[in-house]
Amino acid sequence: MNEKEIGEIRRRIRRDRSNMTAIYGCYVNDQKEIVSEFKQSTGIMPENEAEKYFGLLKRVLSGGVGKNLIDICFKTAQVANSPEHKLLMDLRNTGLKDDGLRAELYTKIIQNVNLDDGFLILLGCDSYDVPFKSTDGETQQDNSQETYTYLLCAVCPVKQTKSNLRYVAEEKAFHDGGISQVPSAPAVGFLFPSFDNRATNIYNALFYTQSPKENHEQLANSLFCVPVPKPAAEQKKSFEALLGTSLQKESSLSVAQTVHEQLCQSIMLHKESRAEEPLLISKEQVKGALAECGVSQESLSKFSVAYDEVFGFEAQLHPKNIINNKRFEIITPDVKIQVAPERSDLIETRIIDGVKYILICADENVEVNGIPITITEDEHK
């Protein structure tokens, strides 16, 4: 799913827009025991309560594509005949009304979610009559040729609040409000099936993870039996490490600058083009940038082999997962230097009298601890 498709469904997750007539839930304590199960009718919910339930479900469709929102692709054999896909389809086709199917899903989640405290599982099912969109981008609300029925699942950590005083209006006084359990934003969740090309795609699902450092691999494997990519934070560390180990002495400042600049440029051009599909970078594109810097064929071969071992054969990566396109950073044991990506040319390395230096061009507007300073010739004598 691309950002526009995700946004289109996300905007529906409100009581006044969706056809979600009920929200199902299951509260699990820190011992992984079900404390309660419930069904809340959205039609009779107080407005402020409905807003909070729908708000938690909506968060499952937030974050960056490829970072927080991961495409899950089922194999054809799974769609044809597999217990994991059948469970999801049966839940969807019954509109979550089957108690046994919900219990099976709850069990999968409880057994495979690793959270420190208790958590709340929320489920919703909606049917969307997708408005027809003409080639000129005009939406015809009264003309629908597709009904997209989908499940949303959010797993929200439940935190125990401290006991505080609260105001009781009837008594015009403050009293002990007691300890309460409050659900926080979802840590993980999913949408099934995908909404691709503004139509139902039962071959895909969208998996949500709040933290780019955690991909909840165990849960994803239980729900989908499909491998998920490394967490975005781990992808970045792996990419940096394989560049260093495969290039070794050829891993210079100019190489790092060129790779960073080209990936940043790809991100910028993709944004300017307003392309709907997410930007992906291949191994060959990175090798092209390295070759442009004069990296030897031997090092390129080492990089190629290491890339396949770390990310998988012909794997494509989201560039924002492997670089920080907001800044260019140099770190030594004692110093950290950050500059805007487009001005990495201000930095160079040099060996002077046998000592290695990082030099920064500082012609004007230099401040130290907020104090404007002037660099004079006398300081270098």
Side-chain angles (χ1 to χ4, degrees):
M1 290 177 66
N2 60 45
E3 290 182 0
K4 282 190 176 181
E5 292 161 344
I6 293 168
E8 184 171 350
I9 300 305
R10 192 172 189 271
R11 287 189 291 273
R12 281 191 57 77
I13 315 303
R14 290 174 39 167
R15 181 166 68 173
D16 59 344
R17 291 184 181 176
S18 79
N19 294 311
M20 204 176 287
T21 58
I23 292 176
Y24 297 86
C26 172
Y27 174 38
V28 183
N29 65 19
D30 57 358
Q31 301 299 311
K32 294 201 170 187
E33 300 166 334
I34 295 178
V35 176
S36 66
E37 293 184 50
F38 59 85
K39 171 189 175 183
Q40 297 276 14
S41 173
T42 59
I44 61 175
M45 273 185 191
E47 183 62 35
N48 62 335
E49 192 173 297
E51 183 179 333
K52 290 176 174 60
Y53 274 115
F54 279 95
L56 289 172
L57 286 171
K58 183 185 292 188
R59 289 291 291 270
V60 173
L61 299 179
S62 63
V65 175
K67 181 169 288 189
N68 307 97
L69 296 166
I70 302 166
D71 269 319
I72 299 294
C73 301
F74 291 100
K75 297 175 183 177
T76 303
Q78 286 181 286
V79 176
N81 182 28
S82 73
E84 63 276 2
H85 194 273
K86 184 179 186 302
L87 174 61
L88 295 173
M89 286 297 291
D90 288 348
L91 284 163
R92 169 182 177 264
N93 294 338
T94 58
L96 295 172
K97 294 175 183 177
D98 188 296
D99 295 345
L101 293 173
R102 289 200 314 277
E104 187 177 346
L105 179 63
Y106 290 154
T107 299
K108 279 194 171 197
I109 294 172
I110 292 167
Q111 291 177 345
N112 295 284
V113 163
N114 296 311
L115 298 174
D116 293 334
D117 301 306
F119 52 90
L120 172 66
I121 303 172
L122 291 179
L123 296 172
C125 183
D126 179 34
S127 289
Y128 174 33
D129 291 327
V130 184
F132 177 78
K133 186 176 286 187
S134 58
T135 53
D136 59 4
E138 289 294 320
T139 300
Q140 301 173 13
Q141 295 291 344
D142 298 330
N143 184 6
S144 174
Q145 299 176 346
E146 167 82 16
T147 298
Y148 171 57
T149 301
Y150 61 95
L151 307 174
L152 263 182
C153 173
V155 181
C156 310
V158 173
K159 304 295 183 182
Q160 183 170 282
T161 64
K162 294 181 179 179
S163 178
N164 293 309
L165 291 175
R166 67 180 182 87
Y167 183 68
V168 180
E170 296 81 3
E171 300 181 26
K172 296 183 178 180
F174 285 86
H175 294 288
D176 186 357
I179 295 172
S180 58
Q181 282 73 36
V182 179
S184 55
V188 64
F190 69 88
L191 172 144
F192 174 84
S194 282
F195 185 60
D196 292 329
N197 297 316
R198 304 187 71 244
T200 303
N201 178 6
I202 64 171
Y203 286 83
N204 284 57
L206 192 66
F207 188 56
Y208 168 79
T209 175
Q210 182 187 46
S211 171
K213 296 180 180 179
E214 174 62 72
N215 64 356
H216 296 276
E217 183 178 9
Q218 185 177 329
L219 177 61
N221 186 59
S222 175
L223 291 173
F224 313 117
C225 287
V226 170
V228 290
K230 292 172 180 274
E234 191 177 329
Q235 287 183 37
K236 185 173 184 295
K237 287 183 179 179
S238 297
F239 182 75
E240 293 164 349
L242 78 86
L243 276 177
T245 54
S246 57
L247 303 187
Q248 295 185 351
K249 291 184 179 181
E250 292 186 77
S251 183
S252 63
L253 174 63
S254 62
V255 169
Q257 285 174 320
T258 299
V259 171
H260 195 270
E261 286 170 4
Q262 291 205 9
L263 292 179
C264 283
Q265 186 177 33
S266 295
I267 293 170
M268 181 187 68
L269 292 175
H270 182 265
K271 183 177 180 180
E272 291 176 351
S273 72
R274 299 181 182 273
E276 294 185 0
E277 293 306 312
L279 174 64
L280 294 172
I281 297 296
S282 69
K283 175 180 69 176
E284 295 305 316
Q285 287 173 279
V286 180
K287 284 177 65 178
L290 296 174
E292 190 176 302
C293 302
V295 171
S296 68
Q297 189 57 50
E298 180 183 357
S299 293
L300 290 176
S301 298
K302 287 180 180 178
F303 170 80
S304 184
V305 172
Y307 183 100
D308 290 342
E309 289 176 350
V310 172
F311 297 111
F313 181 66
E314 295 187 349
Q316 293 186 309
L317 305 176
H318 292 264
K320 287 186 179 181
N321 287 359
I322 57 176
I323 65 161
N324 185 334
N325 66 312
K326 301 297 183 182
R327 66 173 183 262
F328 185 81
E329 185 175 77
I330 295 177
I331 299 175
T332 75
D334 303 305
V335 177
K336 179 185 288 188
I337 302 168
Q338 295 180 351
V339 298
E342 64 273 13
R343 293 318 313 269
S344 67
D345 60 299
L346 295 174
I347 301 175
E348 62 177 294
T349 54
R350 193 177 298 176
I351 298 177
I352 302 174
D353 297 331
V355 181
K356 299 175 183 177
Y357 289 92
I358 297 171
L359 304 182
I360 305 171
C361 179
D363 283 338
E364 57 184 14
N365 299 329
V366 180
E367 293 183 1
V368 176
N369 292 334
I371 304 169
I373 67 165
T374 301
I375 301 173
T376 65
E377 290 285 347
D378 294 339
E379 295 180 47
H380 302 285
K381 293 181 180 178

